[in-house]
Amino acid sequence: MDDLLLMCPGPTIVHDEVRAALARPATNADLDPAFLDDYGRLCARLGTLLGTASDVLVLCGEGILGLEASCASLVQPGDRVLILENGVFGRGFGDFVEMYGGEAVRFASDDREPFDAEALAAFLAEDDRFVLATMVHCETPAGLLNPLADMCRVLKEHGILTVVDAVSSVGGVPVDVDSWGVDVCLGGSQKALSAPPGLTFLSISDEAWGVVAGRTAPIRSFYANLGLWRRWRQDGAFPYTMPAADLAALAVAVERALADGDRIARHARIGAACRAAVTGGGLQLYARSGQSDTVTAVVLPEPVDEGELLGLLRREYRIVLGGTVGLTDARVVRVGHMGEGCRGELVWRALHDLDGALRRLGVPPRKPLHRLFEAALDE
Ligand SMILES: *Cc1c(COP(=O)(O)O)cnc(C)c1O
């Protein structure tokens, strides 16, 4: 399987330097003081990446753990929580809030358009009795990027705590936690940071820690209990054994990202060129506006069967692209161009292969997608 190229929107390609870190000699995270130093340094470097002076934690569990832990730890039974939803992950937050006894009140908008901060302001003018609000920065299944800074500004004007899933945006597009007013910012190892899957990281503001500390109802979870991590900040005792190898790999991935001065500009350039290729080829983007520079979701032309297309790409072209996840109004194929996958030659290859597979399935793009991509990059 070594030659299979991962160009789906996560898990993404893991660089050899990051893979090598997985093979370092093992240690006992609880008994080796060097581990504690490494862990603290990783958290600090993630803080730099996120633009925050707040506490940062890395939890052992895939990205979803962060979403669940923030709901489990911040929401008390009966709390009113505003769920900003225009996609699959946004809706998932509502499920977690209800699972932990909160009352989910939804501010829903079109799944194919980014949120409108003025509409949120109008909504809150009528009702702003919310303990916190949840939202997703990049809705990966739709390739949609929400205007996080504007939305958080409106929420903070109403004194509402902000919990943001930035799993597929952090590292690829600007995320500025402190200046944008994000109280809890959630990320995952396997998206734009291109480390192996298995770790969640999150920043948590003093105000959010205050909510955890001030709870009257106990947190109904162990694994998703951020209160235990608050104690870790004080006594340095982890709630469970930390996966030292995974953390070492993430640390290398974070250094690679921070050292890459062209990273954000490259995502913008490649994202725009990928979209230009898709639309130039006569295909339709799923998101009508506000598309993310980390992933492009392309509506499948009729009558292409999604399983057949992805299977053909995997078998004959040795490439993995993403498919439809949770969308109800369209089938899509998704090209990930985040992290290590955000390189001109790799996205060229993805578009070349997609173009070839569509031709074989009898739905040729108007012009070769990879040629359109080259032309757009040259502009
Ligand atoms: C990938 C992703 C997550 C993590 O969940 P998965 O189990 O990998 O699906 C959470 N939120 C977003 C927006 C993601 O893209």
Side-chain angles (χ1 to χ4, degrees), residues 73-76 79 131-132 161 205-216 219 230:
S73 305
L74 292 165
V75 178
Q76 299 203 68
D79 279 353
V131 178
L132 63 96
L161 212 64
S205 68
D206 288 346
E207 200 183 334
W209 271 142
V211 171
V212 175
R215 291 176 64 105
T216 48
I219 295 173
R230 191 159 171 273

Side-chain angles (χ1 to χ4, degrees), residues 62-64 67 89 136 138-140 165 167-168 190-191:
E62 190 279 333
I64 290 293
L67 278 67
F89 285 97
V136 177
C138 173
E139 275 286 357
T140 327
D165 171 349
V167 172
S168 66
Q190 83 278 24
K191 300 281 170 80

Side-chain angles (χ1 to χ4, degrees), residues 355-369:
D355 182 87
L358 289 173
R359 281 173 207 283
R360 283 175 63 170
L361 294 175
V363 282
R366 217 155 45 202
K367 291 179 191 160
L369 300 178

Side-chain angles (χ1 to χ4, degrees), residues 5 7 13 15 266 269-270 319 335-337 339-353 370 373-374 377:
L5 181 64
M7 290 301 285
I13 298 166
H15 191 273
R266 187 171 62 254
R269 210 159 57 231
I270 287 183
I319 191 166
V335 180
H337 32 81
E340 299 290 350
C342 187
R343 301 276 163 197
E345 62 279 15
L346 296 177
V347 179
W348 185 95
R349 158 92 190 270
L351 290 169
H352 167 272
D353 294 357
H370 47 294
F373 179 69
E374 282 168 17
L377 270 190

Side-chain angles (χ1 to χ4, degrees), residues 35-288:
F35 175 82
L36 200 61
D37 292 345
D38 289 346
Y39 182 86
R41 192 173 317 113
L42 170 58
C43 294
R45 297 295 277 164
L46 283 166
T48 302
L49 187 81
L50 293 167
T52 183
S54 291
D55 279 346
V56 173
L57 301 171
V58 186
L59 313 183
C60 168
E62 190 279 333
I64 290 293
L65 174 62
L67 278 67
E68 178 160 0
S70 49
C71 295
S73 305
L74 292 165
V75 178
Q76 299 203 68
D79 279 353
R80 296 180 83 236
V81 178
L82 183 63
I83 311 294
L84 308 186
E85 57 171 52
N86 61 351
V88 176
F89 285 97
R91 275 185 279 283
F93 260 129
D95 297 338
F96 280 131
V97 163
E98 287 173 347
M99 199 180 289
Y100 289 97
E103 183 194 338
V105 177
R106 293 175 173 82
F107 171 82
S109 73
D110 189 328
D111 281 9
R112 299 179 75 160
E113 305 275 357
F115 289 127
D116 175 2
E118 281 176 30
L120 176 65
F123 180 97
L124 291 175
E126 301 290 316
D127 175 9
D128 66 356
R129 290 173 297 110
F130 300 104
V131 178
L132 63 96
T134 63
M135 76 174 276
V136 177
H137 192 197
C138 173
E139 275 286 357
T140 327
L144 183 73
L145 191 75
N146 280 310
L148 186 54
D150 294 346
M151 298 298 281
C152 286
R153 185 175 352 91
V154 173
L155 291 164
K156 296 313 285 183
E157 278 165 13
H158 290 264
I160 299 170
L161 212 64
T162 54
V163 175
V164 174
D165 171 349
V167 172
S168 66
S169 58
V170 165
V173 299
V175 174
D176 214 339
V177 165
D178 285 354
S179 65
W180 293 358
V182 182
D183 288 291
V184 176
C185 186
L186 304 158
S189 53
Q190 83 278 24
K191 300 281 170 80
L193 288 178
S194 294
L199 298 173
T200 282
F201 55 89
L202 57 96
S203 67
I204 178 162
S205 68
D206 288 346
E207 200 183 334
W209 271 142
V211 171
V212 175
R215 291 176 64 105
T216 48
I219 295 173
R220 296 217 163 271
S221 173
F222 179 82
Y223 223 60
N225 183 338
L226 294 177
L228 299 176
W229 287 88
R230 191 159 171 273
R231 251 175 274 155
W232 170 79
R233 300 298 309 178
Q234 285 142 21
D235 340 331
F238 292 102
Y240 43 77
T241 301
M242 295 304 284
D246 287 344
L247 288 159
L250 178 60
V252 174
V254 170
E255 290 311 320
R256 284 184 58 79
L258 287 171
D260 179 0
D262 183 43
R263 176 169 47 92
I264 299 290
R266 187 171 62 254
H267 279 79
R269 210 159 57 231
I270 287 183
C274 184
R275 294 189 292 276
V278 165
T279 54
L283 299 166
Q284 198 192 350
L285 299 169
Y286 180 77
R288 293 197 189 91

